[in-house]
Structure formats: structure tokens, C-alpha cells
DNA sequence: AAGTGGTCTAGACCACTAC
DNA sequence: TAGTGGTCTAGACCACTTA
């Protein structure tokens, strides 16, 4: 094992074992040495070794069973980490100038409905339809969202929440085509995001990107750097 | 704190603290008690408390700095876990019958190019264009892939690897429309998957779903169950 | 200089499960 | 019943950062 300086013991060992799995030295199905044996061979305590093996197990590389031992898992191209960035950051990250326009704002019952556009260098980047539940976010009724995009405002004013994203493809309707300045029927990428807090819906966003201007990238990298 | 039986101490404490953050009791920016104080208040050792706080930090809920203390992070709707399942499992998971057809198979230089279709109840579910690098997977040259889909075969015969997914929307070309039995220009969801092993490209897959038949779901659930 | 988190150890007991 | 992983503790030393 190559010992890199200024890296903790367990991180070095983790990188080493992960390397064995990723380069094929430790094939899926292989029963690897017992925790105590590994601890001895690396010259560390069982606690440190356990920390490493626990992390690798949580990351999906290993499967452990008492008495049976530790086995290398079959790869499952199954869960990938999808980066869903704030729209403003998406655009400025591309080196473009960001701007924003509120199209409509309607307040019906306990729902605030917003329709807005996000621009990259004055070109429409995506269209957003947003519904905010005022029962859960009453303060939103007092904001006009003329300057601040609802996503940005909500991110700053909400506590932690969970979100569910549905990604789909659709053909641009005439209204959408006008908004985004694209051809009627052009393929678009749609992201529907439902944000919840304590099981209650906070907000619902429908964000539509022209298919030729945007694509999402998901990296399968089992929750571990390296 | 509610103590659920048959759950480890650190898991109980983790659920408790995560609850405080998710329900807003501990707002973003709040400096929470020091590790020792929390350990005392929960009646556990510092090591156990550290395990909990380390996990929450890795999950993006907390930020810790020596001397300064531990602070609740701002939420970042940023990384979501995207489930990218095997196509056969996708279809059978919907309660439909899976079948598969190989359309073309060409061997040029060190690349094996395949074109195939996946069916759900005899209806085209998605089209797959696949290129396998024979330099990295020489065994693939001997397989005819008439019965076994390349994705399934590769998953079973490859060691661990990393993958990068690019998700986009496109209008169906005439050739694609015929294959999938959809209208010309219909919006489709396209997934481009590049699989690497030790930095070398293993295989490249281009999978296209009719936009009205399939959508992807990504759940933002910061690497922790609950 | 002091205080906090980061890491590591040695030892212990328990729970699960193959035998 | 024996062996392995799961968990927890008490104590220690170090590293980083603020004061």
C-alpha cells in the first residue's frame, strides 16, 4: 500500500481496498479476509479497520454477515448521484450572464402560482412554473418575486427539506415555444420537483429546458471520493 | 428522544438530530452544542457521538471546524440519488413481460457495435445503441448477443467500474420513430452512459425512451435512510 | 495558549448464524 | 457452540484555529 502523507490511516486503507475492488484484483463474490486479519495486516486496531469496512459496506462495495465474513458485492449500475444545481449557478457556471423575468403571479386560495423565465446572456434558458403552498410557507404571500427567483428565495427561507425529482421529455407546446423562443414541437427536458417538509408539500416546480441547450449529468461514484 | 428498540445508539441519536434539522428546530446557520456536550446530554461516549456527527457531516447536514464548533448547513438542493436500473428490471418491475431483440451487430476494428430493442409486453420500450471496446473486454467478441442484452452480459462479466450518465431530450428521427413505433419528431428521453474501468472506456450505451412512456425519478435523500 | 474536532487504540460485550 | 461482525467505552494524542 502506498502511504500518502497527511491522509488519515483509515482513508489510506479505504483507498487501498477500494482500489483492489475497482481494478478487479478483488472480484465480485470474493470473500475477503476477516476484519481482524485485515487489521493485523494493515497494522491498525480493529476499530479503525471496522470504520473502513463499514464505510465500504454503506457505499455498496461490500456485504458483511456475522460469522460468514465479508464479500465483495456485484456491481449495480443502479444509483447515480445527480447534481441538480440552482439555475443561477448553472448559468453563471457556464460563464454566462444570468437574468430573470417574472411573467405571471397569481394567488388562488392557499396557493401562489408563479410563471417565470431564466435567461442566459439574454437568451431564454428555461421556463419555470411554480406553485407555493401558503399553508406551509405563509411568508411567501408577501414577496412579489419580481426580482428574486422563487427557487432562490425558497432556498434561503426554508429550513431543511427533502425533494423528489421526476425527469421527462416533452414536445414544446405553442405557448412554451414562444416563451423559450424555440420551434413548436421541439424536444424539451422537463424536471418536476416536489419539495416536502415534515411530509407536507412546500412547493412544486416544473422547469423546462430546451433539449438542445441543456443536458443533465449524473456520475456514478458510490458516495466516496477518490 | 424516543428510543426505538433494536436500533443502535448511534442510529437513534442520528435520527434524533436529523429530525431536529429536518423539522426546522435546528435552523441552518445554528451553532449546535459541542461534541462533548452532546455526548453528555445523550449519555454516550465521545466516540459514539463523533460517529453520528461525522455521518451527518458527510451527508451534508453539518459543517464542523476545530475550535469553532459545529454548524447546521444551508440546504443545497443539489445532489439527488438517481436510480438507474437494469432495463429488464425496469420493465418487469412494472409488471410487464420483458423481451429483447438484436437488430444489428457489427465488428469494426476494436469496437463491437450493437443495436437492439427492448420490449414491454411486445411494445417497444426503448432503443439501445451500444459500443463495446474489445481492447478492454475481449471476451465480448465471442458473444453473439442474440439472446442476452449487452447490458446484462456486461454487468455480469465486468468487475467494478464507474459510469457517467448524460441525460437529454431529443426529437425522434425517422429511423428512431420506426424502431420505437412512435411519431416522427416525438420527444424522447435519451441516456448516454459511459462506463470506465481504471480510466479506460469499457462501453458506451445510448438508450432512448419514448418521452410519453418513461420518466426518471430522482430522490433527494442525503445518503441516509430515514 | 486554549479549546475543539480528528483520529486511533485496547478492550469489552453482545447478536447473529453457520456448524 | 464457536466465530465473526456490530457496537460501545475510556482514554489518549494530535491538528487546526481562534484569542
Amino acid at each position: 500500500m502506498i502511504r500518502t502523507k497527511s491522509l488519515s490511516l483509515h482513508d489510506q486503507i479505504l483507498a487501498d481496498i477500494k482500489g483492489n475492488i475497482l481494478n478487479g484484483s478483488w472480484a465480485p463474490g470474493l470473500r475477503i479476509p476477516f476484519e481482524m486479519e485485515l487489521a493485523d495486516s494493515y497494522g491498525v486496531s480493529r476499530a479503525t479497520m471496522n470504520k473502513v469496512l463499514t464505510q465500504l459496506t454503506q457505499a455498496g462495495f461490500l456485504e458483511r454477515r456475522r460469522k460468514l465474513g465479508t464479500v465483495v458485492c456485484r456491481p449495480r449500475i443502479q444509483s447515480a448521484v445527480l447534481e441538480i444545481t440552482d439555475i443561477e449557478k448553472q448559468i453563471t457556471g457556464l460563464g454566462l450572464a444570468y437574468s430573470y423575468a417574472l411573467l405571471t403571479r397569481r394567488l388562488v386560495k392557499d396557493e401562489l402560482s408563479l410563471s417565470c423565465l431564466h435567461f442566459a446572456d439574454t437568451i431564454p434558458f428555461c421556463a419555470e412554473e411554480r406553485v407555493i403552498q401558503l399553508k406551509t410557507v405563509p411568508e411567501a404571500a408577501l414577496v412579489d418575486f419580481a426580482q428574486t427567483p422563487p427557487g432562490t428565495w425558497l432556498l434561503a427561507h426554508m429550513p431543511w427539506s427533502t425533494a423528489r425529482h421526476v425527469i421527462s421529455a416533452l414536445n414544446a407546446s405553442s405557448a412554451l415555444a414562444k416563451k423559450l423562443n424555440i420551434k413548436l414541437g421541439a424536444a424539451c427536458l422537463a424536471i418536476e420537483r416536489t419539495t416536502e417538509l415534515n411530509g407536507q408539500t412546500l412547493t412544486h416546480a416544473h422547469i423546462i429546458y430546451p433539449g438542445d441547450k441543456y443536458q443533465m449529468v449524473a456520475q456514478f461514484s458510490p458516495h466516496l471520493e477518490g
Side-chain angles (χ1 to χ4, degrees), chain A:
Chain A
M1 185 178 68
I2 303 153
R3 298 232 168 193
T4 314
K5 277 178 189 174
S6 73
L7 202 56
S8 59
L9 265 176
H10 61 259
D11 276 338
Q12 292 172 37
I13 298 171
L14 188 137
D16 190 53
I17 293 185
K18 200 175 127 188
N20 287 338
I21 296 172
L22 283 175
N23 71 24
S25 310
W26 286 5
L30 177 74
R31 234 206 43 193
I32 73 173
F34 298 122
E35 189 169 296
M36 272 304 277
E37 297 175 13
L38 285 169
D40 286 345
S41 74
Y42 280 112
V44 297
S45 72
R46 197 190 142 209
T48 301
M49 204 60 228
N50 182 277
K51 186 170 186 171
V52 172
L53 296 175
T54 300
Q55 279 194 54
L56 287 166
T57 303
Q58 288 175 352
F61 284 111
L62 299 175
E63 188 178 346
R64 316 192 73 192
R65 285 211 207 139
R66 301 180 211 220
K67 178 71 180 181
L68 207 160
T70 303
V71 176
V72 179
C73 281
R74 288 215 154 278
R76 302 161 297 173
I77 310 290
Q78 184 192 80
S79 67
V81 176
L82 178 64
E83 299 285 326
I84 296 185
T85 325
D86 181 56
I87 296 169
E88 180 168 355
K89 278 183 190 160
Q90 271 176 40
I91 293 174
T92 55
L94 295 168
L96 305 173
Y98 173 75
S99 56
Y100 157 81
L102 177 65
L103 302 182
T104 67
R105 180 186 191 282
R106 269 181 306 178
L107 208 152
V108 182
K109 273 191 167 183
D110 293 320
E111 292 187 345
L112 178 64
S113 298
L114 302 167
S115 174
C116 49
L117 271 176
H118 301 267
F119 297 88
D121 275 351
T122 72
I123 298 167
F125 185 75
C126 65
E128 174 177 353
E129 301 288 330
R130 164 91 59 173
V131 177
I132 302 174
Q133 299 297 329
L134 295 179
K135 279 192 181 174
T136 8
V137 204
E139 318 90 285
L142 307 172
V143 187
D144 71 353
F145 294 108
Q147 305 300 326
T148 315
T152 307
W153 185 88
L154 284 163
L155 209 56
H157 288 75
M158 285 188 311
W160 266 89
S161 56
T162 56
R164 185 168 167 277
H165 298 84
V166 177
I167 300 148
S168 58
L170 50 83
N171 291 101
S173 66
S174 62
L176 185 64
K178 273 184 199 167
K179 271 193 208 170
L180 290 173
N181 196 27
I182 54 177
K183 287 185 186 166
L184 176 66
C188 294
L189 198 61
I191 301 178
E192 211 180 320
R193 176 189 300 164
T194 309
T195 308
E196 291 194 346
L197 181 60
N198 301 331
Q200 280 196 309
T201 301
L202 264 176
T203 173
H204 192 84
H206 205 87
I207 301 169
I208 302 178
Y209 302 83
D212 56 348
K213 288 196 192 115
Y214 182 67
Q215 42 187 232
M216 277 187 298
V217 177
Q219 180 79 39
F220 177 72
S221 60
H223 311 174
L224 291 169
E225 336 68 54

